[in-house]
Amino acid sequence: MSNIPHPDDAPAVTDADAIDHGSDGHLHSVVVAYEGSADRQTLYPVDATETERLTHWLTADADAFERLDEMR
């Protein structure tokens, strides 16, 4: 198992793909690769405090995410 983010393994939310969640509307995307199981992608607000990051996030299998510009 590896806790090293691999942003090239799955689509990442970039500034152009940002989802409005509050003041600036940007989300940070981190992909964690696991040996023997699905890679996991987590999205959380860029401006979240350390405390908010404990509750303001969404995680799913990396292959469950689609690029916003490809879905339009």
Side-chain angles (χ1 to χ4, degrees):
M1 173 166 77
S2 170
N3 283 336
I4 300 171
H6 296 282
D8 295 331
D9 289 350
V13 174
T14 64
D15 289 350
D17 298 331
I19 300 168
D20 188 12
H21 79 280
S23 61
D24 68 3
H26 294 171
L27 295 176
H28 184 73
S29 173
V30 176
V31 175
V32 178
Y34 293 96
E35 292 180 25
S37 69
D39 294 349
R40 303 288 284 173
Q41 184 168 354
T42 300
L43 306 176
Y44 60 89
V46 171
D47 60 354
T49 65
E50 284 188 46
T51 303
E52 288 174 332
R53 286 186 198 168
L54 298 173
T55 59
H56 294 65
W57 52 268
L58 170 73
T59 299
D61 289 350
D63 62 1
F65 290 89
E66 298 290 339
R67 291 192 53 84
L68 182 59
D69 59 344
E70 293 174 2
M71 302 310 297
R72 289 186 177 164

